[in-house]
Amino acid sequence: IATMLESRLQTKPRSSPNGRETSLWSSGFRMKLEAVTPFLGKYRPFVGRCCQTCTPKSWESLFHRSIRDLGFCNVILVKEENTRFRGWLVRRLCYFLWSLEQHIPPCQGAPQKIMESTRVQNLLSGRVPGGAGEGQAPDLVKKEVQRILGHIQAPPCPFLVRLFSWALLPFLNCVFLNVQLHKGQMKMVHKAAQAGSPLVLLSTHKTFLDGILLPFVLLSQGLGVLRVAWDSRVCSPALRALLRKLGGLFLPSEANLSLDSSEGLLARAVVQAASVPLGLWTGALAVLRSLCSHLGCSRQICSRVHLAQPFSLQEYTISARSCWGSRQTLEQLLQPIVLGQCTAVPDTEKEQEWTPITGPLLALKEEDQLLVRRLSHHVLSASVANSAVMSTAIMATLLLFKHQKLLGEFSWLTEEILLRGFDVGFSGQLRSLLQHTLSLLRAHVALLRIRQGDLLVVPRPGPGLTHLARLSAELLPVFLSEAVGACAVRGLLVGRVPPQGLWELQGIELLSQNELYRQILLLMHLLPQDLLLLQPCQSSYSYCQEVLDRLIQCGLLVAEETPGSRAACDTGRRRMSRKLLWKPSGDFTDSDSDGFEEAEGRYFRLSQQLRCPDFFLFLCRLLSPLLKAFAQAAAFLRQGQLPDTESGYTKQLFEFLQATAQEEGIFECVDPKLAISAIWTFRDLGVLQQMPSPAGPRLHLSSTFASRDNQEKLEQFIRQFICS
């Protein structure tokens, strides 16, 4: 691979017969950039700031002012300087001495605090159904509380924690070259810990090693033993007993029982009382899975731990309740428009909750359930924004979209990612970086030598294309606003596109801002919330304006002044409106749509720059796998076997996606996750209905979409946003 890459890198860029380079966006680079760095100028972008709308005090007070001046540290590099001692023997026993010096605070009074909590006391006094006043002796209830608490947690054993840390340190040094941690991010966490409130950390769990890596990292930084939530189904009783001594938490099975069960009521009360004073770190951890295969790899890898900015949960609960407004289901918003019954988009937000319904969540009040769901959207948005983009995702995107000059395009795409405030997880010489990235993808690409010493990199068909599509999906959050805008423009011009292509309309067709807003709203409602990452405190219309601004900033749209209208930049003659020009950001009422009245005379044209058609196609293709899966799911309604269970119908749809991919040679949408997303979206849209049955819930085709005509309308509605 190295020989072929060197021969490719030494060749000059070829030109097409018309004199233009055949590659996309690379004409501005000319392969001058020999190194790739994760910096824009002097600083690297900071990612993971908390929401300024919902937690303004945390946004200000828990941010480290000089965070950009602080670098990274290798947390698994323990030397003599990391201990209090010096000398020849210390250098050989530094791991052992370091583990002895770790601070492990005692866990005192937790059982007593849980027994004194309000919910447990209500159960003991019989003030709630299922309490001691309904036939159960208080002593028996206390014993049951102690039994449940013993199943959940045990006081951590300092000796076992230090022994485990000492044994884990050489293991991590064998697996990783280094584990990087940003010092500024860690200082923010320390600042939050000094406030005295318990810390609750949520992990995205990128790899199976996170379950042992992340607690070790935070223990080494002086945060003490973290209570890590484990899935009891993947652990034996002996392993559960050991993990509880190391700080593990196990949710009792009774917590997921029905709400009218006294055992479930008691277990949920104990869980709720135990999950604030202990500091809960959620996530199902399967540490030992695939460990042997990972250790069998001879190459070491580098890892980085990202920590988002902390925020006060108390501040969030107070601020978030004031941001709630009227919402409608996807069926109420989109179904009349899909069927052609109306054209106006309702002036309200979409209500789409895909949070798993569990016993502890159902035990909360409806208002608290909504609060938990909104918090999950905030956490998901922050975790995605806090994740670094890897070189394999960039390379997969370039290969999947048939780019021809990898050097210039890789550099360009890296710079665009940094400009949008996202971080990258790589750096180094460009040639070595591309060589290493292709070696990681060697099982999914083919390297072919062609004339003039060029190296042709071709994705392998079938599973290779599917794997590249999954990797390229990591770039979607970076360009999501622009991708939504590009697909909305595609849907707006679908009936006006000439045979030569969409960009033949550049400089000719006028696009009104109201029409753009409407198409963006339609696509935004169609896309799942877990993909759109729209924060609950952000209104749809503010997101529409953000999308439009991004299209203008990247040069795809150009403002057009209509004859007789005032210039957009002429603010001096604009009269003050009777309504306030500045409105609260959390106001989700119809006042957010006042901008539509001001925008009636604003128009835009497609840019005439040479790079815009390729960039437009690039943005549309980022959303193509999901939209194509939705369109094929609509076509599958004509031959799907319903009624069926959700898992059964998902299997049917996935097999249909596989068969269609074999026929068309397009494997980007062959993904079980896309099939599940399509089914859930169609269920919210009213296409599929979930009915109870003796064997469990089953999916039925709704009477509205039983007709072939309505099924075709649904497919056409989705395909208008797909750029072929």
Side-chain angles (χ1 to χ4, degrees):
I1 297 177
T3 304
M4 291 188 291
L5 277 173
E6 287 298 324
S7 63
R8 173 68 183 94
L9 296 173
Q10 292 172 1
T11 59
K12 295 182 179 180
R14 292 178 296 169
S15 301
S16 58
N18 58 4
R20 291 179 56 188
E21 291 188 3
T22 57
S23 62
L24 306 179
W25 315 304
S26 59
S27 59
F29 285 91
R30 303 288 184 184
M31 294 196 295
K32 292 180 180 179
L33 188 60
E34 293 294 335
V36 176
T37 59
F39 299 93
L40 280 176
K42 183 180 179 181
Y43 303 104
R44 69 186 308 145
F46 175 75
V47 294
R49 295 211 65 174
C50 61
C51 179
Q52 189 177 12
T53 301
C54 297
T55 53
K57 295 181 180 178
S58 300
W59 190 87
E60 178 69 23
S61 62
L62 295 180
F63 181 70
H64 198 276
R65 293 300 176 186
S66 58
I67 188 172
R68 297 181 185 272
D69 298 329
L70 301 177
F72 289 85
C73 64
N74 183 9
V75 295
I76 63 173
L77 180 61
V78 176
K79 300 185 296 185
E80 177 185 4
E81 292 77 9
N82 299 106
T83 67
R84 294 180 298 168
F85 309 98
R86 298 293 181 268
W88 173 83
L89 186 60
V90 174
R91 287 193 290 271
R92 278 141 184 85
L93 298 178
C94 57
Y95 286 4
F96 177 74
L97 295 174
W98 173 86
S99 63
L100 292 179
E101 295 180 356
Q102 296 307 304
H103 174 63
I104 302 176
C107 184
Q108 299 177 350
Q112 185 65 25
K113 291 180 180 178
I114 293 173
M115 291 295 297
E116 295 175 355
S117 65
T118 304
R119 293 197 65 182
V120 175
Q121 287 297 317
N122 289 339
L123 285 172
L124 292 176
S125 61
R127 287 193 290 265
V128 296
E134 296 191 357
Q136 301 184 51
D139 293 338
L140 295 178
V141 177
K142 290 181 180 179
K143 291 182 179 180
E144 183 65 14
V145 169
Q146 293 174 355
R147 184 195 67 81
I148 296 174
L149 184 60
H151 179 87
I152 295 175
Q153 55 124 9
C157 178
F159 171 75
L160 287 179
V161 172
R162 291 190 172 95
L163 181 63
F164 183 74
S165 301
W166 171 63
L168 188 60
L169 194 54
F171 166 76
L172 293 177
N173 277 278
C174 292
V175 176
F176 299 102
L177 281 174
N178 57 70
V179 177
Q180 296 181 348
L181 180 67
H182 198 282
K183 297 178 182 178
Q185 294 177 352
M186 198 64 239
K187 283 185 176 295
M188 292 190 300
V189 176
H190 277 295
K191 190 174 183 180
Q194 292 172 359
S197 300
L199 291 178
V200 180
L201 297 103
L202 303 177
S203 173
T204 55
H205 294 293
K206 294 290 186 179
T207 68
F208 63 91
L209 285 176
D210 289 354
I212 57 176
L213 175 60
L214 299 180
F216 171 82
V217 168
L218 296 173
L219 173 65
S220 67
Q221 300 301 310
L223 290 179
V225 180
L226 290 166
R227 294 292 189 175
V228 183
W230 289 72
D231 188 356
S232 59
R233 295 172 296 180
V234 299
C235 301
S236 64
L239 184 58
R240 285 200 299 268
L242 175 62
L243 292 176
R244 277 196 292 267
K245 291 293 185 179
L246 294 173
L249 291 175
F250 294 90
L251 186 68
S253 57
E254 298 94 332
N256 286 319
L257 295 178
S258 59
L259 294 182
D260 55 358
S261 169
S262 59
E263 294 86 356
L265 188 65
L266 183 60
R268 285 188 289 271
V270 176
V271 169
Q272 187 185 46
S275 63
V276 174
L278 297 179
L280 180 63
W281 189 358
T282 61
L285 310 177
V287 176
L288 301 180
R289 291 179 179 177
S290 307
L291 189 57
C292 295
S293 60
H294 183 79
L295 292 178
C297 181
S298 59
R299 296 178 302 171
Q300 289 182 309
I301 58 177
C302 301
S303 178
R304 187 195 303 172
V305 178
H306 293 273
L307 295 172
Q309 181 184 0
F311 64 90
S312 171
L313 190 59
Q314 181 180 13
E315 181 188 8
Y316 174 80
T317 56
I318 296 175
S319 302
R321 296 180 192 273
S322 63
C323 297
W324 294 349
S326 60
R327 290 175 179 261
Q328 291 184 359
T329 63
L330 186 62
E331 181 178 356
Q332 296 170 327
L333 287 172
L334 277 190
Q335 190 180 103
I337 300 176
V338 170
L339 300 179
Q341 298 173 356
C342 69
T343 57
V345 183
D347 184 14
T348 184
E349 304 298 318
K350 178 178 66 172
E351 183 67 32
Q352 184 183 55
E353 301 297 348
W354 289 359
T355 307
I357 303 299
T358 59
L361 184 60
L362 288 175
L364 300 176
K365 299 179 181 179
E366 184 178 356
E367 185 180 6
D368 294 332
Q369 290 184 27
L370 184 59
L371 185 66
V372 172
R373 292 188 177 109
R374 302 286 172 83
L375 178 62
S376 66
H377 292 313
H378 270 289
V379 172
L380 178 62
S381 177
S383 64
V384 172
N386 200 40
S387 301
V389 179
M390 306 308 294
S391 61
T392 51
I394 298 178
M395 181 62 69
T397 304
L398 296 176
L399 295 177
L400 198 62
F401 300 158
K402 298 180 177 61
H403 295 256
Q404 296 182 3
K405 280 185 61 178
L406 296 180
L407 279 176
E409 293 155 5
F410 191 95
S411 302
W412 171 85
L413 203 49
T414 302
E415 185 178 356
E416 290 293 326
I417 293 171
L418 295 172
L419 284 172
R420 284 161 174 79
F422 283 76
D423 199 4
V424 294
F426 56 87
S427 62
Q429 293 296 320
L430 183 58
R431 299 179 181 182
S432 301
L433 186 59
L434 262 65
Q435 177 182 350
H436 175 68
T437 305
L438 289 176
S439 67
L440 296 177
L441 299 174
R442 62 186 180 275
H444 309 286
V445 298
L447 304 177
L448 306 174
R449 294 191 64 178
I450 57 178
R451 60 182 181 179
Q452 298 181 359
D454 289 346
L455 176 65
L456 182 63
V457 184
V458 181
R460 298 184 186 274
L465 285 173
T466 304
H467 181 76
L468 293 179
R470 292 174 182 172
L471 290 176
S472 65
E474 297 180 13
L475 278 185
L476 183 56
V478 181
F479 298 93
L480 184 59
S481 298
E482 294 94 327
V484 170
C487 291
V489 172
R490 171 68 175 85
L492 183 59
L493 298 178
V494 66
R496 321 176 199 175
V497 176
Q500 296 82 1
L502 175 69
W503 225 258
E504 293 298 324
L505 297 173
Q506 65 182 30
I508 302 175
E509 195 71 29
L510 283 178
L511 310 176
S512 72
Q513 184 164 331
N514 286 347
E515 292 177 332
L516 288 171
Y517 274 165
R518 180 182 180 276
Q519 287 299 119
I520 295 172
L521 279 175
L522 292 178
L523 181 57
M524 189 180 70
H525 290 328
L526 178 65
L527 295 177
Q529 282 189 344
D530 60 347
L531 175 110
L532 197 61
L533 300 176
L534 185 64
Q535 294 183 347
C537 58
Q538 184 179 10
S539 67
S540 299
Y541 293 106
S542 65
Y543 184 76
C544 289
Q545 187 59 50
E546 177 186 336
V547 170
L548 189 58
D549 291 342
R550 289 291 185 91
L551 292 179
I552 297 173
Q553 290 171 6
C554 67
L556 291 180
L557 291 182
V558 179
E560 177 70 17
E561 305 294 345
T562 56
S565 64
R566 185 177 65 251
C569 59
D570 186 7
T571 59
R573 301 180 183 179
R574 184 173 299 176
R575 297 181 179 179
M576 291 292 292
S577 174
R578 294 182 180 179
K579 299 182 180 180
L580 294 177
L581 295 179
W582 292 96
K583 304 177 181 64
S585 58
D587 184 10
F588 286 175
T589 61
D590 57 357
S591 61
D592 287 331
S593 60
D594 294 340
F596 282 81
E597 300 176 1
E598 300 176 1
E600 289 181 355
R602 299 178 187 171
Y603 291 87
F604 302 90
R605 294 183 188 271
L606 298 178
S607 175
Q608 301 184 20
Q609 299 181 24
L610 294 179
R611 72 176 186 90
C612 286
D614 294 331
F615 188 35
F616 182 86
L617 186 61
F618 165 78
L619 295 174
C620 289
R621 282 178 170 175
L622 289 176
L623 278 175
S624 290
L626 178 70
L627 294 175
K628 287 181 179 179
F630 281 16
Q632 293 185 22
F636 182 66
L637 294 174
R638 296 189 282 269
Q639 61 187 77
Q641 301 298 322
L642 288 173
D644 197 355
T645 61
E646 182 178 305
S647 60
Y649 192 69
T650 302
K651 183 179 179 181
Q652 290 187 49
L653 178 57
F654 181 66
E655 292 175 352
F656 176 76
L657 294 178
Q658 288 179 316
T660 306
Q662 293 290 344
E663 296 175 1
E664 301 179 357
I666 302 176
F667 294 86
E668 289 85 348
C669 58
V670 183
D671 191 339
K673 294 181 180 180
L674 296 181
I676 295 175
S677 182
I679 291 175
W680 288 1
T681 301
F682 283 10
R683 185 183 58 193
D684 294 343
L685 188 56
V687 180
L688 301 174
Q689 294 179 343
Q690 192 167 348
M691 301 291 187
S693 69
R698 299 176 70 85
L699 292 177
H700 295 253
L701 185 62
S702 66
S703 57
T704 304
F705 288 90
S707 66
R708 189 183 183 91
D709 184 42
N710 287 344
Q711 293 174 5
E712 292 178 351
K713 289 180 180 179
L714 174 62
E715 185 178 358
Q716 292 174 1
F717 175 80
I718 298 173
R719 290 195 178 276
Q720 67 174 323
F721 302 109
I722 302 176
C723 191
S724 58

